[in-house]
Amino acid sequence: MTTTDDLIKELSADCSEVKPLCTWRCGLGWSVFATMFNYYLITIIGLRSDLVPYLQSAYGQAEIYTVMVSGFTASMAASWLSMPDIRQQRWVFWMPIVFLMVAMYAVSIQFLGEDDPSRMLFEPSIGQVLAILVALLIPAVLFFFLLNRAATTRIHWTSGMAGLALTAYAYTAIRFTMPIDTLEHLLTWAVFPAVSLGVLVWFAGSRFLKW
């Protein structure tokens, strides 16, 4: 007859020590991987023809830098919120939002009131945008695999920050590879696809991540 002690030993035989996860290493490591992945993706697709004038603009630089910082802080916030302990503080949600608002201001300064017909030479490429969005699903899947190891209790917050990080990376890739002439083109071919990817990541993460 099996005793209580024997039952306890049998149930705990396969148990092993659980190593604590380091949130900043998870977020930083994924950010480095996603940045390198984005860099090679942009290199393969090809840089936009008017990249130099775009980056020479102070508002263009502010837009790109703040979007990139927003993506980085969003990935760090997702990693921070993934831990099921006191580190799940909602104030980290505002870090990427602040940088995103600065980027939106820089964009509005660039395009609002722009009526120069010589700039309206943009030819959209649906295949190029889809290639960027599909390729970025690779770092998205990797990020969810890392976040799921932490067993988050704030699934929507964590997946939402992950979605925001992917939105920033997708937007950056589109802006570096595709000329944008008007605000309408920007909203149609950069903002909408990037936000759609972020919403998809948030929707999938809210169902994939588990406590």
Side-chain angles (χ1 to χ4, degrees):
M1 182 176 179
T2 304
T3 63
T4 303
D5 292 338
D6 294 335
L7 181 59
I8 293 175
K9 291 180 180 180
E10 182 180 352
L11 293 175
S12 60
D14 296 332
C15 295
S16 58
E17 181 182 358
V18 178
K19 296 182 179 180
L21 296 176
C22 184
T23 54
W24 69 267
R25 287 182 181 177
C26 174
L28 181 61
W30 182 85
S31 297
V32 172
F33 170 78
T35 301
M36 295 300 297
F37 186 91
N38 224 25
Y39 170 78
Y40 285 112
L41 180 62
I42 292 172
T43 303
I44 292 173
I45 295 177
L47 297 173
R48 53 190 286 185
S49 57
D50 60 339
L51 180 63
V52 174
Y54 169 65
L55 293 181
Q56 287 178 344
S57 170
Y59 292 110
Q61 295 179 16
E63 174 194 352
I64 288 298
Y65 291 149
T66 51
V67 169
M68 294 176 64
V69 174
S70 177
F72 172 74
T73 54
S75 64
M76 296 298 292
S79 300
W80 190 262
L81 291 167
S82 67
M83 296 299 293
D85 55 23
I86 60 174
R87 284 179 285 184
Q88 295 193 32
Q89 302 172 6
R90 294 186 179 183
W91 63 267
V92 298
F93 168 81
W94 293 105
M95 292 192 301
I97 297 299
V98 170
F99 289 106
L100 193 61
M101 293 176 63
V102 175
M104 293 174 59
Y105 174 76
V107 169
S108 63
I109 294 297
Q110 290 181 78
F111 289 97
L112 292 182
E114 178 63 56
D115 56 357
D116 184 4
S118 63
R119 294 188 59 186
M120 299 183 181
L121 304 173
F122 173 67
E123 296 181 2
S125 175
I126 300 178
Q128 182 174 322
V129 174
L130 290 178
I132 293 175
L133 299 183
V134 172
L136 287 176
L137 291 178
I138 296 176
V141 172
L142 174 62
F143 201 22
F144 281 139
F145 173 77
L146 296 174
L147 294 176
N148 201 42
R149 296 175 58 195
T152 179
T153 57
R154 299 188 184 274
I155 297 175
H156 291 285
W157 284 92
T158 304
S159 58
M161 287 294 98
L164 182 58
L166 266 297
T167 297
Y169 282 103
Y171 180 86
T172 303
I174 294 174
R175 289 294 273 151
F176 267 101
T177 58
M178 184 176 297
I180 302 293
D181 304 308
T182 64
L183 181 60
E184 180 182 358
H185 289 153
L186 178 71
L187 296 176
T188 304
W189 298 101
V191 176
F192 178 74
V195 172
S196 298
L197 177 64
V199 172
L200 176 63
V201 170
W202 168 77
F203 181 80
S206 62
R207 283 152 179 78
F208 175 77
L209 298 177
K210 298 179 181 179
W211 159 245

